[in-house]
Amino acid sequence: MTSDSPDNPNVASAALKQWVAETARLTQPDQIVWCDGSPGERQRLLASAVKSGVLIPLNPRKRPGCYLHRSDPRDVARTEEVTFICTPSAHEAGVTNNWMAPDEAYRKLGAMLKGSMRGRTMYVVPYVMGPVGSPYAKIGVEITDSIYVALSMGIMTRMGECALRMLGESDDFNRGLHCTLDLNPEHRFICHFPQDNTIWSVGSGYGGNALLSKKCFALRIASWLGRKEGWFAEHMLIVGIRNPEGHTKYIAAAFPSACGKTNLAMLLPPPALQGWKVYTVGDDIAWLRVGPDGRLWAINPENGYFGVAPGTSARSNPNAMRMLGHDSIFTNVAMTPDGDVWWEGMDVEPPSELIDWRGRKWLPASGEKAAHPNSRFTTPIRNNPVLSPHVDDPCGVPISAIVFGGRRATTAPLVLEAKDWLHGVFIGATMGSETTAAASGKVGVVRRDPMAMLPFAGYNMGDYWRHWLAMEPRITEPPRIFMVNWFRKAPDGSYLWPGYGENLRILKWMLARIEGRVKGRQTFLGRVAEPEEIDLSGLEIAPAQLARALAMDPTEWKAELASAGDFFQQIGSSVPEELLRLHRELSNSLEAGRV
Ligand code: SAT
Ligand code: MN
């Protein structure tokens, strides 16, 4: 549906038409394109993006339907320092978020948006988060002047007329306004207005800053809605694990950005674990509700994957390599002379010459990365060869375990089970992780990243923890809560655990715990697996190495609890008393020598 007038699509609700008209008056685009999500429209948009140089077609014999996009080199990751929660009071946003008063944000960004789409096309992109028609799905509309964003939203969401039909005459939809401006980082702001169900994002074309369905709506705004409406929006993958007897259990796992969520969600079982199978429901975001049976049920609101390319290989994630063979957009990876893609950690020797992510000639000797460390693929969920058959179930899948994981060279054991819900919330609330290239700033510094939501909780962190605790009585069949760490290192810097597909052995231990078949070893914080309880068939790992991966070191944990205490102090008065009390108890146990 292409039109010059926002009045054209007769299925759009009056409220939507009015908002589009208002936005067009503000931004003054040359033309307005309402995206209908049809294959024909996609082909037209792709052709237009190729014509304007936004997309470079890849070799159709090697990667049919695939394209390369090179972003502005200053616009390659989420920028947390210019991401704002615009609530009436600063306290509602809390100290872990940047805050701007709503009036000020509307005024400031409004001035930047004025006439900002002159000479450009405005795309109106309606989308559904969650299975179409699901009572748990939500509707958003993103207005953008970026064809790359419009095309990416067509992969990442259920986009087009299905959303308009589901919306009907309602005015209940997320209003996302995105404008690339001149991509100058000085003009970059990502502002969330939870009270208005609105997002304004300017000055960036990068994934998490610009695909407003994802972190902005499905996490920041949705977490706020979740507290109001009694559910959870979490930075979690959802994976189904089928045992050789054919029973499937589902696990939701929170890890910070670029810590292997996509790999875990679609892992290929090691050959020795015969008969086990893994199915992906989601790789980044879970919306969790309490079902009538008192269990937590999860849907994946997304319809595609926006995954980190470097490190993805036939060894680390063979299923991902298969799904990237067609109909995908690659951003900031390197290009081979024959029009294919390449990145570091692909486990394929680079050809003697490449075009790097900035479009420059690259030689193996040039000493720089050919692909940006945060280069990405955008792929339809349906490309995944191990997609769960339940991905479109309106009520989602029942969750047996919640996992919190970080990237830690020290301290955190390979796997530990929390004693109960409160302990589990404590473990999630205090988890730490080393920073990655997914956000701008220094890489490799340990920061507290509660529930992997530090950059994504759309309101006060202490209130967010209160919400976790307040939900407990309603979840009468709660999932068990675990902590994992795939990234612990030996003093020589090598990883203690092989990770990737082998992680299934740890998930298997969790399922055995749930079924009461293993006991683990009680520690002050919870139960750590005993080495002999982990299925090591077909895996060579020295017993001392495994023991080290599972160790709880009192000196390290004293430091960890001290840091968690500092973090609670920073968060301030909103930290729930239960968490403070537990922190005191755990600290006392450690001081008393109980590990
Ligand atoms: O850029 S995104 O926020 O979409 C990906 C991530 O950082 O997790
Ligand atoms: Mn993520």
Side-chain angles (χ1 to χ4, degrees):
M1 227 183 303
T2 305
S3 80
D4 294 319
S5 139
D7 296 330
N8 221 13
N10 45 25
V11 275
S13 75
L16 173 55
K17 284 186 195 164
Q18 191 195 331
W19 175 61
V20 170
E22 262 167 33
T23 307
R25 269 198 301 279
L26 174 67
T27 59
Q28 301 281 312
D30 275 18
Q31 51 154 358
I32 298 171
V33 172
W34 285 74
C35 292
D36 62 15
S38 66
E41 170 188 84
R42 187 158 187 85
Q43 289 313 315
R44 282 198 303 281
L45 292 181
L46 285 167
S48 156
V50 168
K51 198 160 157 229
S52 61
V54 170
L55 293 183
I56 301 166
L58 293 168
N59 185 332
R61 271 171 292 119
K62 300 206 150 193
R63 305 248 167 210
C66 290
Y67 298 83
L68 169 65
H69 171 70
R70 294 196 190 108
S71 77
D72 184 294
R74 300 164 301 174
D75 187 31
V76 292
R78 274 184 296 102
T79 41
E80 293 171 10
E81 64 284 2
V82 290
T83 299
F84 292 84
I85 301 296
C86 306
T87 40
S89 74
H91 180 81
E92 286 162 276
V95 295
T96 57
N97 284 307
N98 301 310
W99 174 80
M100 210 189 293
D103 285 358
E104 186 193 341
Y106 281 130
R107 209 173 330 109
K108 190 169 186 157
L109 274 68
M112 298 166 93
L113 284 160
K114 206 165 172 200
S116 62
M117 294 191 191
R118 264 191 210 119
R120 301 179 66 84
T121 298
M122 177 172 119
Y123 299 92
V124 181
V125 185
Y127 61 91
V128 184
M129 295 309 277
V132 175
S134 159
Y136 304 141
K138 296 217 176 263
I139 293 171
V141 181
E142 175 162 354
I143 293 181
T144 176
D145 66 347
S146 159
I147 193 167
Y148 165 77
V149 167
L151 281 162
S152 301
M153 291 291 288
I155 295 178
M156 294 305 298
T157 67
R158 294 153 173 100
M159 187 274 273
E161 255 175 33
C162 60
L164 295 183
R165 269 199 303 273
M166 200 175 142
L167 182 64
E169 264 312 309
S170 168
D171 64 355
D172 183 15
F173 61 93
N174 179 270
R175 289 153 170 77
L177 171 52
H178 168 249
C179 186
T180 45
L181 304 182
D182 58 0
L183 292 176
N184 180 343
E186 313 241 310
H187 303 154
R188 188 171 298 159
F189 292 95
I190 298 103
C191 290
H192 305 71
F193 306 87
Q195 275 83 357
D196 302 341
N197 199 4
T198 291
I199 304 152
W200 281 13
S201 165
V202 295
S204 167
Y206 170 75
N209 290 339
L211 310 178
L212 302 184
S213 60
K214 199 173 178 52
K215 304 298 160 109
C216 299
F217 180 28
L219 287 178
R220 297 198 189 95
I221 298 279
S223 61
W224 189 88
L225 290 172
R227 181 177 56 148
K228 203 169 78 166
E229 299 167 0
W231 53 282
F232 296 112
E234 298 299 329
H235 193 203
M236 290 178 178
L237 65 94
I238 310 163
V239 66
I241 300 152
R242 199 185 69 183
N243 69 14
E245 291 75 54
H247 300 299
T248 304
K249 285 208 157 60
Y250 296 90
I251 293 181
F255 295 80
S257 302
C259 289
K261 282 197 297 301
T262 307
N263 292 341
L264 187 64
M266 50 173 55
L267 72 74
L268 187 69
L273 267 61
Q274 268 196 12
W276 288 79
K277 219 170 156 309
V278 162
Y279 294 99
T280 322
V281 180
D283 82 323
D284 194 37
I285 298 175
W287 286 358
L288 302 132
R289 320 236 173 197
V290 187
D293 56 2
R295 291 190 289 177
L296 268 186
W297 290 71
I299 61 166
N300 169 15
E302 300 191 281
N303 202 30
Y305 307 112
F306 183 63
V308 180
T312 307
S313 70
R315 187 180 61 91
S316 67
N317 193 340
N319 286 322
M321 291 309 274
R322 278 174 64 196
M323 79 176 179
L324 298 180
H326 61 102
D327 300 306
S328 302
I329 298 176
F330 296 88
T331 301
N332 292 339
V333 301
M335 190 165 91
T336 65
D338 59 353
D340 201 357
V341 289
W342 189 87
W343 49 76
E344 281 75 16
M346 196 189 223
D347 278 356
V348 176
E349 277 299 306
S352 55
E353 191 181 320
L354 285 167
I355 313 279
D356 76 3
W357 66 276
R358 276 181 265 212
R360 303 179 311 193
K361 184 167 147 179
W362 179 94
L363 302 170
S366 63
E368 286 188 359
K369 300 247 190 252
H372 188 276
N374 192 38
S375 54
R376 298 267 171 170
F377 52 78
T378 312
T379 304
I381 212 171
R382 317 229 168 229
N383 277 20
N384 178 356
V386 293
L387 185 65
S388 165
H390 297 289
V391 76
D392 289 319
D393 283 10
C395 294
V397 294
I399 298 299
S400 300
I402 285 178
V403 177
F404 293 119
R407 181 186 284 272
R408 295 297 299 272
T410 67
T411 318
L414 181 55
V415 60
L416 173 148
E417 184 193 349
K419 199 169 105 197
D420 54 22
W421 187 263
L422 174 63
H423 273 73
V425 172
F426 178 87
I427 284 171
T430 56
M431 77 188 234
S433 193
E434 291 154 24
T435 50
T436 68
S440 60
K442 214 164 151 21
V443 169
V445 191
V446 174
R447 69 174 183 182
R448 295 291 125 200
D449 192 346
M451 281 87 169
M453 285 287 278
L454 180 72
F456 306 124
Y459 61 99
N460 187 303
M461 188 55 76
D463 291 334
Y464 167 80
W465 295 333
R466 280 168 196 263
H467 176 50
W468 267 84
L469 296 177
M471 287 286 283
E472 186 188 1
R474 289 186 46 209
I475 313 167
T476 50
E477 297 288 331
R480 302 282 186 93
I481 302 183
F482 296 87
M483 162 205 272
V484 300
N485 178 21
W486 317 135
F487 301 94
R488 200 163 186 183
K489 287 183 175 169
D492 69 359
S494 60
Y495 286 109
L496 291 167
W497 177 250
Y500 302 116
E502 310 299 345
N503 291 337
L504 179 58
R505 300 171 192 277
I506 306 304
L507 302 183
K508 199 180 155 193
W509 182 81
M510 294 178 195
L511 298 182
R513 269 300 299 155
I514 291 169
E515 289 158 11
R517 288 186 284 103
V518 292
K519 278 207 164 64
R521 166 173 62 91
Q522 187 68 264
T523 73
F524 81 104
L525 193 60
R527 279 174 197 273
V528 174
E530 294 280 21
E532 59 276 11
E533 292 170 346
I534 298 176
D535 181 348
L536 298 174
S537 44
L539 178 68
E540 298 247 340
I541 181 167
Q545 185 177 329
L546 183 59
R548 200 174 254 191
L550 290 163
M552 296 286 280
D553 179 304
T555 316
E556 286 178 348
W557 273 99
K558 276 181 197 163
E560 188 72 6
L561 284 183
S563 158
D566 291 347
F567 187 53
F568 283 170
Q569 278 209 331
Q570 262 177 46
I571 305 288
S573 60
S574 59
V575 178
E577 183 49 43
E578 296 95 311
L579 290 184
L580 293 171
R581 193 173 347 107
L582 182 55
H583 181 258
R584 277 194 301 275
E585 282 168 22
L586 293 172
S587 305
N588 291 343
S589 305
L590 260 187
E591 288 303 331
R594 287 191 293 276
V595 188

